[in-house]
Amino acid sequence: GRALLVLLLSALVSLLGGLIFGYELGIISGALLQLQIDFHLSCFKQEILVSALLIGALLASLVGGILIDRHGRRRAILVSNLVLLVGSLILTLARSFIGLVIGRMTVGFAISVSSMACCIYVSEMVAAHRRGLLVSLYEAGVTVGILLSYALNYVFADVDEGWRYMFGLAIAPTAMQFLSILFLPVNPVKLSSWDSDCQKGLIQLQSTEDREMAKREPYKEKHYSFLDLFRTRDNMRRRTLVGLGLVLFQQFTGQPNVLGYASKIFHSVGFQSNSSAILASVGLGAIKVVATLVAMAFADKAGRRVLLMAGCVVMATSVTTIGLTSRIAPLAMARDCKAAADPNASHSLTQHPLMPVSSQPTVSPIPPASGAVKSQAGPGFAATRSLTKVFASIQSREVVPDSSLAQKRGLVGQSNKERVESTGPPFSGAPWTENIVLNWITLLSMMAFVSAFSIGFGPMTWLVLSEIYPAGIRGRAFAFCNSFNWAANLLISLSFLDLIDAIGFSWMFLLYGLMGMMAVIFIYLFVPETKGQSLEEIDQQFSRKR
């Protein structure tokens, strides 16, 4: 009975941790639409506000590992919950721009520490044959949190100071997670010996030799310094190579940017601006939730390597297809900030917020705030892609300061029927009608890419990272890899438009396809299979340089 309670509470902690992470990342898109009016925010101030969470998260990834290793995973989660409650209260009661920035930085710090501690704590708490399922549950929570944030953005869009409710509602899941973890033990529940583990079928040791070796060498927790990550001791250098390789390939296969252009790909198959925003965010978010559930079901059966390699092959094929089809039927991929610079275009967008985009081809088909953040419906920790996407495209709001608000609030007073009519998907008059088949292939390829990422790199990267390091340095090693993930995400997102200007959209996506195939080779050569093995056994196998 106690084991079942531990299992259910571990699942709840993992799910709520992901939910809070996804919610905090997604909620800023809707809140910005109101904040820019209520606080008269310039373009620069909006960039500061959006990047404040990223700065807080980067700081946490640099110091959070020490907190997790020195003071324990459970205490780190409890502290992050308290910090998150403080940050949410600061945001809810904020009366100035400085208050908002401090609140977002505090929230960013808290969700970054929580994300690392949750994955490590749950991986150590549950039996080997359920570890994949429960750590992947965190990723499922992220995608659900993002969808929830979009729903609440919509609900509070027309409420006066609705952004206070948006920020304040994060308090509920945070309090639930805090209470849940109080009932969980400080240290993982250990069975009496290796032999009992083997008898209960929790660990499938590779051979009789391994079993004998495990019994002869009782597992002793060792102490490591941070620099040991780069030394040959216990094969730590190879473990660091595996960790960094996974987080960097996760970014360099194009995930931050494929979703950033989702709305334009939806538009190219004939959907209008507002329906494009809804379909791209909610539709792709729903696909990600389903794909992550599939990954959860198969993580402990098929194994980590199989899901990672299969996901990479599908991702490489998908982005290569998008690259080839866009050479034949080019998509309108103008920079938002340049596109909105035409005074006539900005005037028409403000005057007719629900006008079909086909009649204003120079304007981005979706307001930057809501368009950018849907790219978060992405990996747990790599979900920051949206933040960088938002402030990369935010400049367009300086030219058309009220356009996105006009779109959001232009709906007030309309009946539901009128709203549906104005956002429906008219296929007549779409600018790319002659290439409609190719555009649908592009759309399906993008959906395949999103699904493959959610089955492979999305959940599996963090699952493998929570398994391959010894307990004594697991927190610091995880945080080290996580900081590279945030930095690579920032680099990729900010350089994307410059690279498109330099080499073209189709070549950019073909390059992502090549990176995907390189990722398959890397995983095949370096990433070990860890399913069905205890964390101690994984550590001993690495230490023996197998």
Side-chain angles (χ1 to χ4, degrees):
R2 183 166 177 268
L4 180 64
L5 181 66
V6 166
L7 186 71
L8 291 174
L9 284 174
S10 297
L12 187 62
V13 165
S14 186
L15 183 67
L16 286 172
L19 185 87
I20 296 161
F21 190 95
Y23 181 83
E24 290 290 1
L25 284 170
I27 203 66
I28 192 69
S29 64
L32 259 184
L33 298 175
Q34 297 184 358
L35 290 169
Q36 64 185 1
I37 300 302
D38 293 353
F39 287 86
H40 310 291
L41 299 183
S42 64
C43 166
F44 178 68
K45 283 187 174 180
Q46 289 179 61
E47 287 183 16
I48 295 283
L49 184 58
V50 171
S51 54
L53 185 133
L54 182 62
I55 293 163
L58 265 172
L59 283 173
S61 68
L62 296 175
V63 301
I66 300 166
L67 170 69
I68 293 167
D69 279 341
R70 289 238 176 110
H71 301 287
R73 290 73 161 117
R74 181 174 177 270
R75 194 173 293 170
I77 298 172
L78 288 170
V79 168
S80 73
N81 283 338
L82 291 174
V83 173
L84 188 58
L85 287 170
V86 170
S88 297
L89 284 171
I90 293 171
L91 284 168
T92 308
L93 305 173
R95 296 282 170 201
S96 67
F97 172 69
I98 298 294
L100 289 170
V101 172
I102 292 170
R104 285 300 279 176
M105 279 186 72
T106 308
V107 164
F109 187 93
I111 62 171
S112 183
V113 171
S114 172
S115 65
M116 296 183 288
C118 274
C119 284
I120 295 172
Y121 182 73
V122 171
S123 75
E124 292 175 343
M125 191 56 62
V126 298
H129 66 292
R130 288 208 181 90
R131 195 167 57 237
L133 171 74
L134 289 184
V135 177
S136 302
L137 192 61
Y138 181 90
E139 179 71 18
V142 173
T143 52
V144 171
I146 289 161
L147 276 179
L148 180 65
S149 71
Y150 291 140
L152 291 173
N153 279 345
Y154 186 75
V155 168
F156 293 112
D158 303 320
V159 176
D160 190 41
E161 292 199 335
W163 56 270
R164 294 190 190 277
Y165 299 103
M166 295 179 196
F167 290 137
L169 282 169
I171 291 171
T174 307
M176 279 176 67
Q177 191 187 35
F178 184 87
L179 292 172
S180 301
I181 204 161
L182 286 177
F183 294 99
L184 280 168
V186 176
N187 295 313
V189 180
K190 298 280 186 190
L191 291 165
S192 58
S193 71
W194 277 91
D195 220 26
S196 64
D197 271 5
C198 301
Q199 285 167 2
K200 295 186 182 190
L202 298 184
I203 304 168
Q204 286 125 30
L205 290 171
Q206 301 300 313
S207 65
T208 318
E209 181 197 341
D210 279 353
R211 184 177 299 214
E212 291 305 315
M213 185 86 74
K215 276 199 252 181
R216 276 203 308 275
E217 302 172 18
Y219 182 76
K220 291 174 189 160
E221 192 169 305
K222 299 173 188 172
H223 296 285
Y224 297 88
S225 72
F226 178 73
L227 290 177
D228 283 331
L229 284 174
F230 313 101
R231 293 179 179 141
T232 52
R233 177 192 174 190
D234 291 337
N235 220 0
M236 291 297 291
R237 195 182 291 165
R238 187 187 160 209
R239 302 184 205 217
T240 306
L241 170 73
V242 170
L244 286 180
L246 284 174
V247 295
L248 293 175
F249 273 119
Q250 187 189 56
Q251 297 298 318
F252 292 144
T253 44
Q255 160 73 4
N257 300 318
V258 173
L259 284 171
Y261 283 88
S263 62
K264 295 182 181 181
I265 294 173
F266 270 73
H267 176 222
S268 74
V269 296
F271 289 101
Q272 235 175 275
S273 63
N274 292 288
S275 63
S276 169
I278 295 161
L279 279 168
S281 55
V282 178
L284 287 176
I287 289 170
K288 286 190 76 62
V289 171
V290 172
T292 308
L293 293 175
V294 171
M296 283 169 54
F298 287 99
D300 291 313
K301 293 189 179 84
R304 289 66 157 145
R305 270 168 64 89
V306 171
L307 291 180
L308 278 167
M309 286 196 286
C312 279
V313 169
V314 175
M315 284 166 65
T317 309
S318 303
V319 286
T320 303
T321 306
I322 293 173
L324 293 172
T325 53
S326 64
R327 284 189 75 74
I328 305 165
L331 298 171
M333 294 294 171
R335 283 174 182 269
D336 287 342
C337 48
K338 286 180 182 170
D342 177 5
N344 296 328
S346 64
H347 175 77
S348 67
L349 183 59
T350 312
Q351 292 299 312
H352 310 288
L354 296 174
M355 200 171 156
V357 178
S358 53
S359 62
Q360 5 159 327
T362 56
V363 181
S364 169
I366 176 172
S370 58
V373 181
K374 89 183 142 330
S375 53
Q376 286 80 270
F381 311 109
T384 49
R385 56 205 32 58
S386 55
L387 303 179
T388 51
K389 260 300 176 214
V390 171
F391 68 77
S393 63
I394 256 170
Q395 295 151 10
S396 58
R397 283 190 219 115
E398 201 163 39
V399 183
V400 200
D402 297 320
S403 62
S404 38
L405 200 75
Q407 284 191 313
K408 200 80 173 172
R409 297 190 176 176
L411 297 170
V412 185
Q414 289 187 12
S415 68
N416 284 340
K417 183 182 174 191
E418 286 172 319
R419 191 177 299 176
V420 170
E421 283 170 0
S422 65
T423 59
F427 286 90
S428 58
W432 294 281
T433 311
E434 66 276 13
N435 291 314
I436 197 75
V437 175
L438 285 173
N439 290 322
W440 275 100
I441 291 171
T442 304
L443 176 61
L444 292 172
S445 297
M446 191 184 65
M447 289 178 167
F449 180 91
V450 167
S451 303
F453 187 92
S454 300
I455 287 171
F457 266 138
M460 293 305 126
T461 299
W462 310 108
L463 175 56
V464 171
L465 278 182
S466 67
E467 295 174 328
I468 61 173
Y469 293 104
I473 197 172
R474 197 170 286 141
R476 282 164 291 168
F478 202 107
F480 175 71
C481 294
N482 199 19
S483 62
F484 271 81
N485 185 69
W486 292 75
N489 177 273
L490 183 61
L491 175 71
I492 301 278
S493 298
L494 293 180
S495 62
F496 182 59
L497 291 172
D498 293 314
L499 279 169
I500 281 188
D501 284 350
I503 64 172
F505 178 82
S506 56
W507 283 110
M508 189 74 233
F509 273 67
L510 291 171
L511 185 62
Y512 286 149
L514 178 64
M515 292 301 291
M517 293 317 297
M518 287 171 64
V520 174
I521 296 166
F522 172 83
I523 292 161
Y524 180 78
L525 292 177
F526 294 108
V527 179
E529 182 53 76
T530 55
K531 70 169 180 177
Q533 299 173 41
S534 77
L535 298 176
E536 290 84 356
E537 189 192 358
I538 294 165
D539 183 31
Q540 287 196 359
Q541 287 193 11
F542 259 107
S543 299
R544 291 200 297 268
K545 304 190 179 184
R546 289 268 306 271

